[in-house]
Amino acid sequence: MLVAAAVCPCPPLLVPEVAAGAAPELDAARTACTDALGVLAAARPDLLLVLGPADQSGRGTHPQGVAGSFRGFGVELDVRLGADKGEASGRVLPPSLAVAAWLLERTGWADAPIEGLGVGEPLAAERCIDVGREIAARAERVALLVMGDASACRTLKSPGYLDERAAPFDAEVARALGAADVAALEALDAELAYELKVSGRAPWQVLAGAAEGAGLDGRLLYDDAPYGVGYVVATWS
């Protein structure tokens, strides 16, 4: 059963070494993520499952101990998803899960076994919800760390340029995540999310499936678009 969840954005810029001189611009987001992970630890889960968007090479499960790297962003920084158990040889975390691993290392996570799941953007809502239900049934106390960004079309300088639909879409996402509104997340328009370059749609719908019937309350910790991309931090407990 799902007992807690933390929702965090996944830009590599969240890692100060990657952001370099621009690092202070995301200090508030980093603080919110740290607070969100504290909620997960307080829930004392039997299993922490980390979800994040991934392309074809990063989809599927990533056992505890899988390594990730930010070398592709010009930084000699490596991370690992929890303690090395010797079961992850040859596997590499997708960028979203590497950011999650960095957050977990930063907060010294040692409260429960960890597993990663890379979720493909095209995964249909119905399948996402089914995956979430399966996750919730895996242990008596399951916690989720859900990585993903909202639209990348909030300003003229956004990666996806300005789209007037982006701000209303992101506002509804922030409201739904802050209110633990399962039905609203399950009803997100996948086609619109794709057009707005939303990376978090599928992971959020997995969360919704996992949370069905759990009766969790939500809290919004951060909602901003410092680079024209929507970043949301929320907790469910």
Side-chain angles (χ1 to χ4, degrees):
M1 179 177 179
L2 185 69
V3 296
V7 177
C8 295
C10 59
L13 288 173
L14 204 61
V15 179
E17 291 88 340
V18 175
E25 296 176 15
L26 287 179
D27 279 347
R30 292 185 195 97
T31 298
C33 290
T34 298
D35 292 343
L37 265 62
V39 171
L40 297 185
R44 300 184 179 278
D46 302 317
L47 170 68
L48 173 63
L49 205 142
V50 184
L51 307 172
D55 61 17
Q56 186 66 40
S57 64
R59 295 180 193 175
T61 59
H62 298 271
Q64 180 166 317
V66 175
S69 174
F70 295 97
R71 295 173 186 269
F73 301 96
V75 176
E76 293 189 7
L77 176 64
D78 299 317
V79 292
R80 193 174 294 279
L81 190 64
D84 187 358
K85 298 178 67 176
E87 302 173 358
S89 177
R91 301 182 68 95
V92 178
L93 294 173
S96 67
L97 297 189
V99 174
W102 176 81
L103 287 171
L104 290 164
E105 287 186 0
R106 183 172 183 251
T107 56
W109 180 272
D111 297 85
I114 304 174
E115 184 178 309
L117 178 63
V119 183
E121 186 280 331
L123 195 63
E126 295 80 6
R127 181 57 186 146
C128 291
I129 294 165
D130 286 343
V131 169
R133 292 168 180 159
E134 293 166 6
I135 288 170
R138 289 191 50 188
E140 185 174 343
R141 299 182 64 80
V142 177
L144 293 181
L145 173 53
V146 184
M147 310 298 292
D149 300 337
S151 72
C153 303
R154 291 279 290 272
T155 69
L156 292 173
K157 294 183 178 180
S158 298
Y161 199 64
L162 175 64
D163 190 315
E164 293 182 354
R165 300 171 298 173
F169 182 93
D170 287 0
E172 172 57 12
V173 165
R175 185 207 64 78
L177 290 172
D181 189 336
V182 169
L185 292 175
E186 291 182 342
L188 287 176
D189 186 328
E191 182 175 350
L192 177 58
Y194 176 77
E195 292 174 359
L196 296 176
K197 303 185 184 303
V198 176
S199 71
R201 190 274 308 172
W204 298 332
Q205 290 186 319
V206 173
L207 165 63
E212 287 181 345
L216 302 180
D217 293 323
R219 182 184 176 201
L220 185 65
L221 303 184
Y222 180 87
D223 174 21
D224 203 355
Y227 302 112
V229 180
Y231 298 149
V232 178
V233 181
T235 59
W236 293 18
S237 61

